[in-house]
Amino acid sequence: MVKSFRNYEIFVMHNESSLSRFIVVENTQFFCFSSLPGTSAAHQLVVSIRQKCTPEEVLGVLKDLPNPRSEEETDSRFNPLKIDVFVQTLLNLGSKSFSHSFAAISKFLYVFKILAESEEAQICVLRNMFELWHHHQQMMVVLVDKMLKIQIVECSAVANWIFSKEMTAEFTKMYLWEVLHLTIKKMNRHVIKLGGELAEAREKLARAESSESESEDDDSKKKQSEAEKPTEEYVERMEEKLEAAQADQKNLFLIIFQRFIMILSEHLVRCDTDGRDYATHWYKWTIGRLQQVFLAHHEQVQKYSSTLETLLFTQDLDPHILEVFQQFVSLRA
């Protein structure tokens, strides 16, 4: 292990200038609480977690950390310092492997739920994960996937984090788009699952009502039918769940496409103002990623195309961006 580490350093030293873009950075985590506000609480939290404390005891350690946000700021429940200390300390302690990280997250899921109720707080969780693991792309992908699966973060929070200013330097890196697509797929699977459950419930209800009318004189069949029959209230609840999930899905696509439009429009205006060619590597990459989202998720995007056309891809949009949407619509015509 020592030998491979020395070889890595020697390679970097001799190739730093000529091959810097292609040198793989070591998979190292960066724990920031050595001299920052919250350091004392972080050290206390390390001791507590190693002594197998409960989630409630973790909240007790974090309880007295001051909120750096001003009272005028909207979400008073959101304390970024508590999230900073908790997330970085926990993930650093679980940094030995994926399994260690998953176990740590699962054990203290309750703390995540308490600290990260709002979307802004969830984005803060993701920022701290990135700050700790920004040199280990695979770790970041699997951690975001885990946080989505156990609902620590919502899909909309992940999308807003990906397009945030803090992630500008990462924007053309492959892992970030892997995260975006797994986020979209997670939302799509959720909607499909609820749709299937609702269809099944409606089918059972219709079948039960049909068999009731056919077997009014057969008590045994009637009892069996009543036992399998879902209630109308259950079907209504399933309909409400599906409607809410579809609203979340539509909102996710609106966030993603709005962010694409914003960053591409800013680039085009800046290039026009400076008299520069807009067709840079960054532009080609970004417009290509926009096309990929349309094509990779065409079945889901198609359902909301009229909303997208009304709210985002309007006729006053720059033709370079609008053309991507028009091409997608023409493919589905």
Side-chain angles (χ1 to χ4, degrees), residues 1 14 16 28 39 67 77 106 129 168 184 192 196 200 202 216 222 228-229 242 252 283 317 322:
M1 185 71 181
H14 288 289
E16 190 168 3
T28 310
T39 299
N67 194 335
R77 298 168 299 169
S106 298
M129 181 272 302
T168 301
I184 296 172
I192 291 168
E200 185 182 358
R202 283 172 173 167
E216 288 181 355
K222 190 173 181 181
E228 293 177 354
K229 176 184 174 182
L242 179 59
L252 178 62
Y283 171 81
L317 192 62
L322 184 59

Side-chain angles (χ1 to χ4, degrees), residues 192-310:
I192 291 168
K193 178 175 176 288
L194 289 177
E197 290 174 355
L198 175 59
E200 185 182 358
R202 283 172 173 167
E203 186 181 337
K204 282 184 178 179
L205 182 61
R207 194 165 57 238
E209 289 174 347
S210 174
S211 61
E212 276 178 10
S213 61
E214 292 174 2
S215 58
E216 288 181 355
D217 300 328
D218 192 330
D219 288 341
S220 62
K221 285 185 178 180
K222 190 173 181 181
K223 287 178 182 178
Q224 184 181 358
S225 174
E226 287 176 353
E228 293 177 354
K229 176 184 174 182
T231 63
E232 290 184 6
E233 290 79 8
Y234 174 79
V235 174
E236 287 175 5
R237 286 199 301 272
M238 289 300 302
E239 288 172 346
E240 290 170 3
K241 281 185 178 180
L242 179 59
E243 287 173 8
Q246 288 171 333
D248 288 340
Q249 185 183 48
K250 180 169 71 172
N251 183 54
L252 178 62
F253 282 121
L254 285 170
I255 289 169
I256 291 168
F257 289 126
Q258 183 186 47
R259 294 292 186 154
F260 267 115
I261 290 170
M262 287 170 61
I263 60 174
L264 284 165
S265 297
E266 287 170 6
H267 171 81
L268 291 166
V269 168
R270 194 162 51 245
C271 289
D272 184 56
T273 304
D274 298 342
R276 293 186 287 111
D277 182 14
Y278 69 88
T280 61
H281 168 72
W282 180 91
Y283 171 81
K284 292 175 182 177
W285 172 280
T286 306
I287 207 80
R289 289 298 179 181
L290 173 58
Q291 292 169 331
Q292 184 188 25
V293 172
F294 274 116
L295 296 176
H297 310 286
H298 60 93
E299 290 184 11
Q300 290 76 29
V301 176
Q302 177 63 28
K303 293 186 293 185
Y304 310 115
S305 58
S306 59
T307 303
L308 293 172
E309 186 173 14
T310 303

Side-chain angles (χ1 to χ4, degrees), residues 42-65:
H43 291 164
Q44 187 181 347
L45 194 56
V46 168
V47 173
S48 298
I49 292 174
R50 283 177 174 163
Q51 292 177 347
K52 304 188 184 306
C53 66
T54 65
E56 289 76 12
E57 288 169 334
V58 166
L59 290 171
V61 172
L62 302 172
K63 179 182 63 176
D64 296 326
L65 284 172

